[in-house]
Amino acid sequence: MENKLPTITEIARRLNISASTVSRALHNHSSIGLRTKMRVQELAKELNYEPNQTAIFFQQRKTFTIGVVLPELSEAFFSAAISGIEDCAYKNKYTVLMGQSHDSEEKEKQIIETMKSHRVDGLLVSIANKTNNYDHFESLKRYNIPVVFFDRIPDMPDIHYVACNLISGTIQAINFLIKKGHRVIGMLNGPEKLAASKEREEGYIQAMKKNRLKFDPTLVVNCDLSTDKVYAATEHLLKLKRKPTAIVVFNDYVALDAVQYARRQKLRINKDICFVSYANLPISHYTAFPPMASVEQFPYLQGQKATETLLELLSNKDSGQEGTNTYYKIILESQLVIKENNIADQVL
Amino acid sequence: MENKLPTITEIARRLNISASTVSRALHNHSSIGLRTKMRVQELAKELNYEPNQTAIFFQQRKTFTIGVVLPELSEAFFSAAISGIEDCAYKNKYTVLMGQSHDSEEKEKQIIETMKSHRVDGLLVSIANKTNNYDHFESLKRYNIPVVFFDRIPDMPDIHYVACNLISGTIQAINFLIKKGHRVIGMLNGPEKLAASKEREEGYIQAMKKNRLKFDPTLVVNCDLSTDKVYAATEHLLKLKRKPTAIVVFNDYVALDAVQYARRQKLRINKDICFVSYANLPISHYTAFPPMASVEQFPYLQGQKATETLLELLSNKDSGQEGTNTYYKIILESQLVIKENNIADQVL
DNA sequence: TAGCGATGTGCAAACGATTGCGCCGGTTTG
DNA sequence: CAAACCGGCGCAATCGTTTGCACATCGCTA
């Protein structure tokens, strides 16, 4: 119980040498004689000595901790991403501090504040849906805490980020639909501000152009991703004069809602109306009417790359080359995954 | 850039007073004159002073950080639980260090090691599936780091834990099925070692007894929860001479596989065979053939309670009453949730 | 024999904040 | 008028570790 944890000073006292010698001995410093080294290391092992990290953190102005701020762990994308982050971090002796914004800007600010005060070495952030104001990120720069954004990237200059290029995946998706005979294709897109939304639209436009189809802007609707808004957006698309026969939806979750709405309207999924979406979640495998295809965004890989990038920034910082004004912009390519015949097919 | 962060000493220097006065002024200590207090607080605000937590952690031998070790964030149960943990922690100015064991004992050990070395104040743990050896937890006791287990509880004496009693929920489930007219009810249970499996079986037995039905042990099968094994177990149950008309399944994920298997056998779900399971996941709402009902285990609440418990242990520790040999064993009641008409119903 | 380079150690400062104790000057009290 | 008291503040130690520098000892060379 009252086993005070052994310290370097304690070891020094017992061996009648100085703390500095002990410290150096434990680090295998070359200037310490072999005999002393051995004696120190032996006693350290015997006493079960473990360095007091809090002291070291303090002294070195470094915590070997990275903060991760993301919207929602219950979304499969993020839980996969955090696995990538964690694996990479632990491999490099870093530790992961977690915070969910639940898509609230307020919460996001708080978390960032807390993490800043806990002196994390760096941050990995996927911003909240509704975040409009980026001051809390700007302030981090002044504190010299590097940030790498992933997946949900704010519209700011001079930032590091890792993202998945959705243009290619979107083009693949549209091509797929066109090949299936669709000509009027709707897009149920996310908030306009998100880079991810812009890319989807961009891909949509490019694909239409490449296929020599006219781009009809009324076929693209933006909405935040709440169920109600998704219903409304789906309704809007389905009531257009030029009614789409297929819809590309922001992601698999949203697609579930959109499908739900369509079914309430007595539409036959995959006959009257087809859906393609993003994320390629495993659950949609079990789902009643999964999208016909889904664009994989490689969350684990994104998490991993983002972490690697951050760690590199940190090691540059340590070696003193702070001011390098280069910004990492890492882009992975997305990829369309066409679903096998699903459960629903078997029903019919 | 080279804006060295302001420290208490810096403030003291500028004001020509001592650091101790500054510290006390910032803490509104009663022995500091109003004038000085104001001057200090003003300058602090002006310089954007923020206390260096690492220094405080070090000095106070406390990190205001709790470690969370759990098997798999991609499981909805755990991502919900961690939300409860996080919310509670942040409310109390604590911060959350995360680690996933991915159900590996080795990984679990490593994470605990890392967290110990990072000097977390306490731990919240849901153990890995395959963990047989609990030495790494025993060792924490010696370091005086309190642990509260949740959901997946190891079979050890003298531990704190929060869990959900599945007996009541199971009884409700069986009663529900019996009321629907089922008489031969199977149970597809998890690994025998898990307390959670034992409880399910116990509930099953009790419910049968209460309904004056004979308990037939052959109707209960255990298996680890891989898809293959689930298929096999389902097959086993469906091939019994006394073939069940309903099966109670370990959880919703497993139920998805069991359903899948049954459908491959051309059985009509909810007609030839009914399923009831545990977890009450939102996804099953969108699923082709969700279980008719599911036992809710309140993960968010479990996370919250576990965190509260841990925080209480920590505050007891601070106030010096270490040795109290009482162990918290908090049990929540589970509850059967009967699903509304689902998508599949609408199909038929 | 003086000087020199290794080699092995210790001293002390530094990181930033907290806190017990003591000091100083002024006011109250007996 | 001296004693006691108190508000307001500073000194210095402390937490555990790292690290630049100085120092001591020894053997070797010039």
Side-chain angles (χ1 to χ4, degrees), chain A residues 73 93 95 108 118 127 173 207 228 232 241 257 262 265 280 293 298:
Chain A
L73 269 179
K93 308 277 181 199
T95 239
E108 188 174 270
H118 270 248
I127 64 172
D228 290 350
K241 232 179 243 156
D257 286 329
Q265 305 305 309
N280 188 29
F298 306 102

Side-chain angles (χ1 to χ4, degrees), chain B residues 17-18 20-21 24 31 33 36 58-59 61:
Chain B
I17 56 183
S18 80
S20 34
T21 304
R24 280 188 262 251
S31 81
T36 347
F58 169 49
Q59 206 260 21
R61 285 165 216 72

Side-chain angles (χ1 to χ4, degrees), chain B residues 8-9 11-23 25 32 36-37 39-40:
Chain B
I8 272 195
T9 331
I11 296 184
R13 203 182 52 71
R14 296 209 191 195
L15 256 36
N16 263 321
I17 56 183
S18 80
S20 34
T21 304
V22 175
S23 171
I32 300 295
T36 347
K37 242 182 220 174
R39 294 206 307 148
V40 169

Side-chain angles (χ1 to χ4, degrees), chain A residues 8 20 23-24 27 49 59:
Chain A
I8 273 196
S20 34
S23 170
R24 282 188 262 253
H27 287 84
Y49 168 77
Q59 208 265 51

Side-chain angles (χ1 to χ4, degrees), chain B residues 276-340:
Chain B
V276 168
S277 66
Y278 298 78
N280 188 30
L281 299 181
I283 58 142
S284 62
H285 183 62
Y286 294 106
T287 229
F289 297 94
M292 302 176 68
S294 190
V295 177
E296 171 68 53
Q297 296 170 67
F298 306 102
Y300 184 95
L301 202 60
Q302 278 195 52
Q304 203 177 28
K305 291 276 180 204
T307 312
E308 284 169 5
T309 308
L310 182 59
L311 293 182
E312 190 169 332
L313 288 170
L314 290 176
S315 77
N316 289 348
K317 198 171 103 178
D318 286 350
S319 57
Q321 348 163 348
E322 320 214 10
T324 56
N325 267 348
T326 56
Y327 292 92
Y328 290 88
K329 302 190 185 310
I330 297 181
I331 314 274
L332 307 177
E333 288 304 320
S334 57
Q335 192 177 331
L336 187 73
V337 176
I338 296 162
K339 306 286 178 139
E340 304 298 313

Side-chain angles (χ1 to χ4, degrees), chain B residues 225-243:
Chain B
L225 306 168
S226 62
T227 299
D228 289 350
K229 295 294 172 63
V230 170
Y231 285 171
T234 314
E235 176 174 24
H236 176 81
L237 283 172
L238 293 177
K239 283 197 175 156
L240 284 177
K241 231 179 245 155
R242 238 184 123 223
K243 186 176 141 189

Side-chain angles (χ1 to χ4, degrees), chain A residues 92-322:
Chain A
N92 292 278
K93 308 277 181 199
Y94 275 76
T95 239
V96 175
L97 216 51
M98 242 274 312
Q100 299 179 66
S101 67
H102 296 295
D103 274 327
S104 139
E105 180 172 343
E106 197 44 47
K107 193 87 201 299
E108 188 174 270
K109 275 189 188 171
Q110 278 177 28
I111 295 174
I112 302 262
E113 247 343 280
T114 310
M115 292 197 169
K116 193 171 73 185
S117 90
H118 270 248
R119 295 284 204 270
V120 294
D121 292 337
L123 280 169
L124 256 24
V125 179
S126 202
I127 64 172
N129 232 326
K130 293 166 193 132
T131 297
N132 287 317
N133 183 315
Y134 304 133
D135 291 351
H136 47 306
F137 296 121
E138 289 292 356
S139 93
L140 289 171
K141 284 199 181 173
R142 284 189 287 111
Y143 286 87
N144 206 11
I145 300 177
V147 182
V148 176
F149 293 94
F150 68 99
D151 190 55
R152 299 227 207 135
I153 317 292
D155 189 8
M156 295 168 71
D158 299 347
I159 58 174
H160 307 279
Y161 65 80
V162 173
C164 191
N165 171 16
L166 298 174
I167 297 180
S168 52
T170 305
I171 294 176
Q172 290 171 44
I174 304 280
N175 286 347
F176 167 75
L177 287 172
I178 289 175
K179 207 167 279 169
K180 288 256 179 188
H182 297 276
R183 287 299 171 269
V184 185
I185 300 173
M187 169 167 269
L188 200 169
N189 209 350
E192 299 184 63
K193 277 200 188 123
L194 287 186
S197 299
K198 290 178 191 156
E199 283 189 10
R200 284 168 170 83
E201 179 161 356
E202 177 62 25
Y204 178 91
I205 295 175
Q206 286 189 20
M208 294 308 259
K209 199 171 283 176
K210 275 185 195 155
N211 285 280
R212 297 165 195 282
L213 292 173
K214 203 182 64 192
F215 165 57
D216 177 355
T218 62
L219 282 171
V220 177
V221 296
N222 291 89
C223 75
D224 77 14
L225 306 169
S226 63
T227 299
D228 290 350
K229 296 294 172 62
V230 170
Y231 285 171
T234 314
E235 177 174 21
H236 176 81
L237 283 173
L238 293 177
K239 283 198 177 157
L240 286 176
K241 232 179 243 156
R242 240 184 122 223
K243 188 175 138 190
T245 59
I247 301 181
V248 177
V249 185
F250 189 79
N251 70 30
D252 287 342
Y253 291 110
V254 175
L256 292 177
D257 286 329
V259 164
Q260 188 96 299
Y261 178 83
R263 300 210 67 257
R264 296 233 179 105
Q265 305 305 309
K266 308 290 178 205
L267 293 175
R268 290 165 305 168
I269 309 300
N270 294 341
K271 299 211 161 166
D272 302 326
I273 183 79
C274 291
F275 291 91
V276 168
S277 65
Y278 298 78
N280 188 29
L281 299 180
I283 59 142
S284 62
H285 183 62
Y286 294 107
T287 231
F289 296 95
M292 302 176 67
S294 191
V295 177
E296 171 69 52
Q297 296 171 67
F298 306 102
Y300 184 95
L301 202 59
Q302 279 196 52
Q304 203 177 28
K305 291 277 181 202
T307 312
E308 283 169 5
T309 308
L310 182 58
L311 294 182
E312 190 169 333
L313 287 170
L314 290 176
S315 77
N316 288 348
K317 198 171 102 180
D318 286 349
S319 57
Q321 349 165 343
E322 320 215 9

